[in-house]
Amino acid sequence: MRLLHGSNVEIVTPNLKKCQSKNDFGRGFYLTPQWQRAYLMAKRRASRDGGEPVVTPFLYYPTKTQGHKLKVKEFKGFSAEWSKFIILNRIDETFTHDYDIVIGPVADAFVDKEIERHKQKYGPRYLDTEALLDFAEHVSQFGSKYVQYCFCTNKALKELIKE
């Protein structure tokens, strides 16, 4: 499978120490199979940090990953579980997970405002299942058609082959 990473520089060797935290699936190296999404992220990075948009391709073989006993979490769509995972990764400094790779829909940058709106609407019940389902339904209306792969550990990064 071909996965793409958008940045303002070519990525030869991904380095988790250079990855930001407080993203959808936490600290990790993010890729997508969709060229359009990778290029959008590259443009965003270049406009923020300078340079030119660069999309770097990698190969990833999920069937090999199974043999290496990596812990993979895949969210098939917008759900209460996905919502809680996104919210906790974005706002809770103490939240961690033990997945090597996380796959699922993109929440994108607008989600921070939506999380604030959600917390105001539900108060201390913002992580209740009913509230999380409402959040998922609301966020899904923005029509995110993009999938992201987050390689969260060095063990997972070893599965990527630069194309």
Side-chain angles (χ1 to χ4, degrees):
M1 163 186 302
R2 187 174 200 227
L3 296 176
L4 307 161
H5 178 80
S7 187
N8 62 335
V9 296
E10 181 180 10
I11 306 296
V12 177
T13 305
N15 182 345
L16 291 176
K17 291 178 185 172
K18 294 183 179 182
C19 297
Q20 298 174 343
S21 59
K22 295 184 112 183
N23 288 320
D24 291 353
F25 300 149
R27 180 181 304 277
F29 185 66
Y30 285 77
L31 303 106
T32 181
Q34 292 112 345
W35 172 263
Q36 198 173 20
R37 175 69 183 170
Y39 187 71
L40 175 68
M41 295 310 297
K43 280 180 41 176
R44 187 181 294 175
R45 177 58 64 115
S47 70
R48 188 180 73 207
D49 298 339
E52 295 296 319
V54 178
V55 174
T56 307
F58 291 86
L59 296 176
Y60 166 61
Y61 299 97
T63 52
K64 279 179 55 180
T65 299
Q66 294 168 354
H68 294 150
K69 301 205 186 317
L70 293 181
K71 190 168 182 185
V72 178
K73 174 65 181 173
E74 183 170 4
F75 295 100
K76 296 288 187 183
F78 299 98
S79 65
E81 183 186 21
W82 174 87
S83 296
K84 185 174 184 178
F85 199 76
I86 296 287
I87 291 170
L88 291 175
N89 275 304
R90 292 263 183 171
I91 68 169
D92 187 344
E93 296 285 337
T94 64
F95 180 73
T96 60
H97 63 79
D98 63 348
Y99 298 112
D100 296 298
I101 300 171
V102 181
I103 306 163
V106 173
D108 216 342
F110 75 86
V111 82
D112 291 330
K113 290 178 185 170
E114 292 304 318
I115 290 171
E116 284 308 311
R117 181 201 62 78
H118 176 74
K119 286 175 67 179
Q120 287 176 359
K121 179 178 179 180
Y122 286 97
R125 299 177 321 126
Y126 75 99
L127 291 178
D128 289 355
T129 300
E130 181 181 315
L132 292 169
L133 287 169
D134 180 55
F135 179 82
E137 182 177 334
H138 182 73
V139 171
S140 71
Q141 76 176 331
F142 294 104
S144 177
K145 59 184 175 218
Y146 299 116
V147 173
Q148 59 191 343
Y149 286 68
C150 179
F151 287 70
C152 306
T153 63
N154 286 318
K155 184 177 175 183
L157 287 177
K158 291 178 182 173
E159 299 296 315
L160 293 173
I161 301 165
K162 184 159 179 321
E163 192 176 297

